[in-house]
Amino acid sequence: MIPLVRLSGITKSLQGNQILTGVDLTVHSGEAIAVLGRSGSGKSTLLSLIGLFDRPDGGSYLLGERNITRLPERRAAALRSAEFGFVFQRFFLLKHLTAAQNVAMALVNGQGWLPRRKRRAKVMAALDRVGIAHLAKHRPPRLSGGEQQRVAIARALVREPRMLLADEPTGALDTETGNLVIDVLHEATKEGCGLVLVTHDWEHANRMDRVLRLSEGQLGEAR
Amino acid sequence: MIRLKGRLRSALIIGLQGIRARKLRTLLSIMSLFLGVLAVVVVQAASETARRAALGETELTMGKDGTLQMYVPTEGKALETALDTVKDRPDVVATTDMSAIIGEPKVTPINRGGMPFAAVAEGQGGPRLTRPDGGEFICGPRGCYPIGQKESSLPETPGQAIELRLSAMTGDVRQFKPFRQQSGQWLDFASAASLAPRIVLNKEAAKFFGTYAVPAEMRISGATANMTPQILGVVDDGIGEPRAYVRMDELQNWLPAEQLRQGGTGLQLLMEPHATDVMQILKTRLAASGLEFAQQLRAEPVDSRERVADQLALIRWVFLGMAGLVLLIGVAGILNVGLATVGERVEEFALRRAVGTSRSLLAGIVLAETLLTGLLTAGAAIGTGMLALNYVGRYLGKVHPVLATTEFPWQAGVAGVVAGLIAGLLGGLIPALRAARIPIATVMRA
C-alpha cells in the first residue's frame, strides 16, 4: 500500500536555529498520528511543512508517489486546497461571516468554482458531519468554543481532503469539549482521511493509532 | 477561462463580504474619494457641455462637421452653370450674399454699412472714414459727421431704413447650418415662388425691426424694381450683423442673373459629404464653358468639431489636471484606509492562504474591495453630477439659454467610472501587495 505522506530526512531551520534535523514520517490513509513535544520543539514547524505552508531546507516530501518537496507557491496553494484540511488551536473564524460562510471559505478560494447550490450542499454536509448543521446561520460570536472549533473542522473537511492537520485543536477548550472535538477528528479517519494531531494532551494522543514525540529536531516513537 | 472565472468570482464575492463587514471604513474611503471623482465628473460634464454649446454656435456659422463647402467665382456664366447644376439636388445648397436696404426709399439707413444694433444704439456710428483733406468723420443713423461732434446735434434725416446682408439660397440651408427658429417660420422651399420675396430675419436684424418702424420696401442694387418683402420669422444664426434669408428663385424674379453676378459675393456651395459628384459635374461643365479656374475649384470639409476641440482642449486639460490632484488626495485616503485594514486582517489573509487561496488571488481580493469602493464612489459622484446638471438645466437655463438644453453627457459618466476604477486601483495596489506577502505561518504562530 502506497503511503499517503512520506517525509524523509526533513531538515528545517528558522532564523538560524535548526528546528528539524532529519525527520522521517510516514502517514497512511485512515491513520491517525499524534505528535507530542515540548513547546518550541518544532511540532508546528513540522505541521507547516506537511501542510505546504513552508518548504523544507533538506530531505524529501512525497505525497502519494509525487515529490512535492519544492513546489511553486501557486501549485502548493492548489494542493493545500485539494489535499489538506487544517484545524488550528485558535479557530480563526471570521466574525462577520456565518458558520456556513466560514465553511464555504475553503470552497471560494479560486481553486475551481462550484455553483452556489452545490456549494451550499457541500457546506451543509460538512456542518452535518460535525453535528452543527442547525447552527449554519449563526455567526461565531454566538457560538460556544466547541461549536466554533467544529465549524473550523467542517471548514477543514468540506473539500474532502486526504489529510487532516490539527495544531493543538483542543488547546482552547475544556476537557469535555476537547474530547468531542477529538471524536469528530477521529471519525474523519474512518473514512480514509489521514490525521496528524499536534497536542500536549496525553489522553488525546493515546486515542490515536500512533504516538510520536518530537525532540531535538528528531521524531521518535513515544508509545 | 473557467479557472479565471472562478478566481474572478471568488475575488468579487470575498471583496463584497469585506465591504459589507467594514461598512464604516468603506464609507470613509468613499468620502475621501468622492470629491476627487466628482471633480473629474464635473470637469468632464462641463467641458462636454461647453463643447456642445461651442459646437452648436460654430455649426450655426461654419456648418455641421463634415459638410463640404466650395466657393464658385461668378466669372462668365459660372453662376448660371452652378445654379443649374445644383438644381433639384436636395443634398446641395447654393447661397450668395448681397447688400439690401429695407425701409423708406432714398433715405440713409439707420445702420449704414449693415452695422449691428448695439453699435447704433450706443451711438458708436459706422466705420471711420477719412476725407481727402485728412479730416475724419463717422456715419450714423442721422448721417455723417466729424469725429468729436455729437450726433444728436445733427438735424434728423426724415424717414428710416435698415441695411442688412441678404442671403439667397437654392434650398434649405438648415440641413448644414442648424439655425434655431426664434419665432414665426422658416422659408418654404416646396411651395411655388412668390413675387413678394419671403424673408426670414436673423436675431440681430429683428432687433432693428422691433425698434424702428420701417415700411416693407426692399432695395437691392441692380434690381428691376424695389420689392415688397414678406417677413416670415426670425432665426438665431449665430451672426452678430443684421441678416435676412430669402429663396434664390424669389429673388431672381427681381434680380437678373447679370446683376446677381455683380452685386453678389460669389456662390457658396454647401454639400453633404457624399455629394462629391456635384463637384465633378460642375468642374466639368465650367471647364467646358472655357472657365480656367474650373480645375482649381476645391471642396473643403467643414471641421467644426476639430476647431472647437482645439479651442477647448487646453482649458479642459488644465481643469482635468486640477481634478486629478483632488483625486490623488482621495487616492491617498483610500490607500490609508486600505493599509490600516490589511494590518487588521493579517490573520484572515493568512488563513485564506492556508485554505488554498493563492497570493495573487489574495491581492485580487484586496483590489476587488478597493475597485468596488471606487465604483460605488463613482456611482455616488455621477448621481450627484446628474442631479446638479439637472438643476443647472432647469433653473439656470432660464437665465442663460445655452444651458437650457444641458444634459448629463455620457462621457462624464464614463470619466467618473474610469476615475473611480483608477483611484481604486492606485489606492488598493500597495495594500494588495502587502496582503499577498503575509506569511501563511502566521496562523501557526498565533
Side-chain angles (χ1 to χ4, degrees):
Chain A
M1 191 168 115
I2 297 168
L4 192 57
V5 163
R6 229 178 333 168
L7 303 181
S8 308
I10 292 290
T11 59
K12 181 71 184 174
S13 61
L14 291 173
Q15 294 162 345
N17 296 326
Q18 195 69 29
I19 308 294
L20 303 176
T21 56
V23 169
D24 299 317
L25 173 67
T26 303
V27 185
H28 290 90
S29 289
E31 187 180 23
I33 295 175
V35 177
L36 297 168
R38 285 184 309 172
S39 296
S41 60
K43 302 186 296 296
S44 297
T45 304
L46 175 63
L47 217 56
S48 69
L49 292 178
I50 299 173
L52 300 175
F53 292 2
D54 206 349
R55 289 181 193 160
D57 297 336
S60 74
Y61 180 3
L62 299 181
L63 182 69
E65 289 183 311
R66 185 176 170 196
N67 190 333
I68 57 167
T69 315
R70 302 214 160 268
L71 272 188
E73 204 285 322
R74 179 167 287 193
R75 287 170 69 188
L79 266 188
R80 275 199 301 276
S81 170
E83 306 286 358
F84 296 95
F86 302 93
V87 184
F88 307 102
Q89 180 178 353
R90 284 173 56 201
F91 324 119
F92 289 122
L93 300 181
L94 302 185
K95 284 184 213 163
H96 61 274
L97 302 181
T98 62
Q101 285 171 329
N102 267 290
V103 175
M105 181 197 282
L107 298 174
V108 186
N109 60 0
Q111 309 291 352
W113 181 254
L114 282 177
R116 180 183 284 199
R117 191 174 293 175
K118 280 189 180 173
R119 210 162 61 216
R120 187 183 292 264
K122 272 182 165 282
V123 166
M124 290 313 291
L127 284 171
D128 192 41
R129 205 166 155 189
V130 296
I132 51 165
H134 60 289
L135 300 175
K137 290 186 178 171
H138 287 55
R139 292 180 199 279
R142 289 187 57 197
L143 301 174
S144 69
E147 287 167 342
Q148 287 191 45
Q149 191 58 298
R150 279 195 276 174
V151 173
I153 295 170
R155 183 178 62 199
L157 293 174
V158 70
R159 271 200 183 258
E160 295 163 20
R162 288 202 287 165
M163 191 76 199
L164 259 183
L165 303 172
D167 188 16
E168 299 184 43
T170 58
L173 303 173
D174 61 69
T175 311
E176 194 178 340
T177 313
N179 286 334
L180 280 173
V181 166
I182 295 298
D183 287 346
V184 171
L185 288 172
H186 210 264
E187 195 66 28
T189 62
K190 288 182 182 165
E191 291 165 27
C193 183
L195 168 67
V196 176
L197 170 75
V198 167
T199 182
H200 287 291
D201 191 321
W202 255 107
E203 193 182 327
H204 291 155
N206 273 327
R207 294 180 61 192
M208 303 295 124
D209 303 325
R210 281 197 290 154
V211 181
L212 305 175
R213 178 181 292 281
L214 188 61
S215 175
E216 309 277 315
Q218 301 274 338
L219 204 54
E221 295 286 340
R223 189 183 62 191
Chain B
M1 186 65 190
I2 290 169
R3 185 172 168 163
L4 181 69
K5 205 168 143 188
R7 291 166 68 82
L8 208 65
R9 284 186 176 191
S10 299
L12 282 175
I13 286 178
I14 300 167
L16 275 172
Q17 283 175 347
I19 285 176
R20 284 219 308 254
R22 280 164 281 276
K23 292 189 187 79
L24 185 62
R25 293 219 161 180
T26 305
L27 188 67
L28 285 174
S29 297
I30 287 177
M31 281 168 67
S32 71
L33 205 54
F34 179 76
L35 279 182
V37 179
L38 184 64
V40 173
V41 170
V42 166
V43 168
Q44 190 65 32
S47 66
E48 190 55 32
T49 304
R51 193 189 69 83
R52 281 184 193 172
L55 183 63
E57 291 301 313
T58 307
E59 281 182 340
L60 283 181
T61 51
M62 301 274 302
K64 286 180 182 170
D65 203 59
T67 299
L68 293 175
Q69 57 178 351
M70 188 165 85
Y71 290 93
V72 181
T74 52
E75 248 176 67
K77 291 281 183 186
L79 183 92
E80 289 91 332
T81 307
L83 288 177
D84 188 54
T85 305
V86 304
K87 196 177 169 188
D88 300 328
R89 287 290 301 243
D91 51 353
V92 183
V93 171
T95 69
T96 187
D97 290 357
M98 68 210 66
S99 180
I101 297 170
I102 300 176
E104 291 185 23
K106 296 176 187 173
V107 299
T108 306
I110 295 161
N111 60 330
R112 179 185 281 202
M115 282 188 293
F117 182 78
V120 175
E122 291 167 13
Q124 291 172 10
R128 286 170 177 233
L129 302 170
T130 308
R131 284 197 305 249
D133 61 6
E136 283 191 318
F137 64 98
I138 198 162
C139 291
R142 293 181 181 182
C144 300
Y145 52 92
I147 289 173
Q149 184 182 341
K150 287 192 175 174
E151 190 187 9
S152 57
S153 65
L154 292 172
E156 196 164 336
T157 313
Q160 287 181 342
I162 295 160
E163 186 171 345
L164 42 73
R165 298 295 294 172
L166 187 66
S167 283
M169 56 193 68
T170 58
D172 192 347
V173 79
R174 291 182 308 171
Q175 61 183 305
F176 304 110
K177 296 181 176 180
F179 296 161
R180 294 187 278 261
Q181 195 74 36
Q182 298 293 299
S183 63
Q185 59 194 37
W186 178 244
L187 299 169
D188 175 14
F189 288 88
S191 62
S194 166
L195 275 175
R198 291 168 292 187
I199 62 171
V200 172
L201 304 174
N202 74 350
K203 275 168 68 182
E204 192 62 26
K207 287 179 192 169
F208 284 99
F209 285 88
T211 308
Y212 303 101
V214 294
E217 183 169 329
M218 183 159 72
R219 283 179 275 158
I220 298 174
S221 176
T224 52
N226 288 352
M227 295 150 259
T228 306
Q230 307 173 62
I231 299 175
L232 295 183
V234 178
V235 291
D236 179 6
D237 60 359
I239 295 174
E241 63 176 27
R243 191 174 276 258
Y245 298 91
V246 65
R247 274 171 58 166
M248 184 78 83
D249 51 357
E250 290 185 1
L251 188 67
Q252 281 179 310
N253 285 332
W254 302 92
L255 198 65
E258 180 63 30
Q259 296 302 323
L260 196 61
R261 250 198 318 272
Q262 286 175 4
T265 53
L267 207 60
Q268 183 191 25
L269 299 187
L270 295 169
M271 299 174 267
E272 295 280 359
H274 62 264
T276 46
D277 59 315
V278 173
M279 188 178 68
Q280 290 305 325
I281 295 167
L282 180 59
K283 281 169 79 170
T284 309
R285 288 185 66 182
L286 291 175
S289 304
L291 294 167
E292 289 178 2
F293 63 80
Q295 291 309 319
Q296 289 158 13
L297 289 177
R298 298 246 182 288
E300 300 288 340
V302 173
D303 56 352
S304 312
R305 282 177 200 277
E306 199 178 322
R307 216 171 258 258
V308 168
D310 287 348
Q311 287 168 2
L312 295 176
L314 181 65
I315 303 171
R316 183 184 187 176
W317 282 113
V318 168
F319 279 100
L320 267 181
M322 288 159 68
L325 277 178
V326 182
L327 190 64
L328 264 184
I329 297 168
V331 169
I334 204 170
L335 176 65
N336 189 23
V337 174
L339 284 174
T341 307
V342 167
E344 278 181 6
R345 297 167 72 186
V346 167
E347 287 182 0
E348 177 194 334
F349 290 141
L351 176 72
R352 287 194 184 279
R353 285 198 59 205
V355 297
T357 306
S358 63
R359 283 180 195 273
S360 56
L361 181 58
L362 215 53
I365 290 166
V366 176
L367 272 182
E369 284 183 21
T370 53
L371 286 174
L372 286 170
T373 305
L375 275 181
L376 282 173
T377 312
I382 290 168
T384 307
M386 287 175 88
L387 284 175
L389 230 59
N390 189 22
Y391 170 83
V392 165
R394 189 174 295 176
Y395 297 104
L396 297 185
K398 291 171 188 165
V399 187
H400 305 287
V402 71
L403 298 174
T405 54
T406 303
E407 285 175 1
F408 187 79
W410 63 266
Q411 291 92 336
V414 172
V417 170
V418 170
L421 287 176
I422 288 176
L425 188 69
L426 290 178
L429 203 57
I430 295 174
L433 291 175
R434 285 218 176 160
R437 283 194 199 131
I438 290 170
I440 195 166
T442 305
V443 281
M444 305 298 285
R445 289 194 288 269

